[in-house]
């Protein structure tokens, strides 16, 4: 449905939740960031639902076994196989979700039709340090003190992760529209386990080198004020993704669909590109 979406469960072997939007058109899979912060991509899903059938998986949470990138890739591949009726979807990921989209397309090159990377995360230590430095510069003393107090204010790790996300959104953004935060309960352990495994794979040289297996069209969308250092991220991806396209908005941070200067253009660009690269 175009409204709030329909919630489904995968099979018992792959028990992740999937919200569905729209009843006609090509399939689109929408991947949240975090890791461990599902739900906040719902506004994009609703906007696209008039023209596409949108799937919004809630990535696997923490459990008996440590989470890995391979586990998330397997989950996403199962979602595609179970919900897309044999079709190859376009996959849209934000931040960590963009990284997961690339990892899945590299592992299963024939399972997706195209990729959209919104505010893509980092793939090397130098870019991560630039991200941290930019955030420190923007925060100033007051916000740095506020960040330092979060452990005391939020003893629960999941609530603390959500508070960190709200704090970083302040400094990662430029000028946001009024909106409702639809982030569901965060999962700090899922975040830590997944991100640690991604860093391990980068250290071992798996990513971004394995992205050379991705042969489908790839579009990178980024805001000029996003602290994620896009020129460094693009430079790291370009040797492995020569087909990479790029669109940037000025006066725009890490969440283009929420930025006053970019949100209308964001949907025009995204929908227009998908109409060509998802059919």
């Amino acid at each position: 449905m175009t409204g709030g979406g329909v919630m489904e469960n995968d099979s018992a072997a792959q028990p992740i939740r999937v919200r569905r939007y729209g009843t006609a058109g090509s399939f689109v899979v929408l991947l949240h960031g975090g890791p461990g912060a599902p739900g906040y991509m719902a506004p994009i899903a609703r906007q696209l639902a008039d023209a596409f059938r949108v799937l919004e998986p809630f990535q696997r949470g923490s459990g008996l076994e440590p989470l890995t990138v391979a586990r998330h890739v397997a989950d996403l591949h199962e979602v595609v196989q179970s919900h897309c009726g044999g079709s190859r979807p376009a996959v849209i990921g934000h931040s960590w979700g963009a990284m997961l989209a690339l990892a899945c397309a590299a592992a299963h090159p024939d399972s997706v039709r195209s990729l959209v990377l919104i505010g893509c995360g980092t793939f090397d230590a130098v870019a991560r340090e630039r991200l941290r430095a930019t955030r420190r510069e923007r925060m100033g003393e007051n916000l740095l003190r506020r960040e330092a107090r979060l452990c005391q204010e939020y003893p629960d790790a999941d609530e603390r992760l959500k508070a960190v996300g709200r704090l970083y959104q302040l400094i990662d953004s430029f000028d946001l529209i009024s909106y409702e935060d639809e982030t569901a309960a965060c999962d700090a352990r899922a975040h830590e386990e997944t991100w640690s495994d991604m860093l391990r794979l980068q250290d071992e040289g798996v990513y971004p080198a394995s992205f050379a297996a991705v042969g489908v069209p790839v579009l990178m969308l980024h805001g000029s004020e996003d602290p994620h250092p896009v020129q460094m991220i693009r430079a790291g991806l370009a040797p492995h993704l020569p087909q990479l396209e790029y669109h940037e908005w000025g006066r725009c941070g890490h969440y283009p669909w929420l930025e006053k200067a970019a949100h209308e253009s964001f949907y025009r660009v995204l929908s227009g590109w998908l109409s060509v690269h998802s059919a």
Side-chain angles (χ1 to χ4, degrees), residues 1 3 31 35 37 63 71-72 75 78 110 134-135 143 156 158 161 167 170 172 175 177 185 195 208 234 260-261 271:
M1 295 182 180
L31 302 179
R71 176 72 269 170
H72 288 296
D75 284 344
E78 176 64 21
D110 298 325
T134 301
R135 280 175 167 165
L143 288 181
D156 179 82
D158 296 340
L161 177 61
L167 177 62
L170 289 175
D172 289 356
D175 188 12
I177 62 174
W195 190 243
R234 284 179 70 189
K260 290 180 180 178
S271 297

Side-chain angles (χ1 to χ4, degrees), residues 19-35:
R19 290 200 295 208
R20 297 183 294 112
Y21 306 75
T23 57
S26 302
F27 282 99
V28 172
V29 179
L30 202 57
L31 302 179
H32 64 78

Side-chain angles (χ1 to χ4, degrees), residues 82-151:
S82 299
H83 293 271
C84 295
S87 299
R88 294 187 300 147
V91 180
I92 304 170
H94 175 247
S95 199
W96 146 254
M99 304 169 79
L100 176 57
L102 285 165
C104 187
H108 303 282
D110 298 325
S111 67
V112 302
R113 187 171 298 277
S114 58
L115 301 177
V116 180
L117 317 176
I118 306 171
C120 187
T122 58
F123 290 99
D124 62 82
V126 177
R128 282 191 292 279
E129 179 52 39
R130 176 70 63 85
L131 168 62
R132 287 190 290 265
T134 301
R135 280 175 167 165
R136 286 194 298 269
E137 291 171 3
R138 292 183 180 184
M139 290 175 82
E141 292 185 6
N142 288 338
L143 288 181
L144 285 171
R145 284 195 295 267
R146 179 174 168 184
E147 182 184 34
R149 292 196 303 267
L150 290 179
C151 285

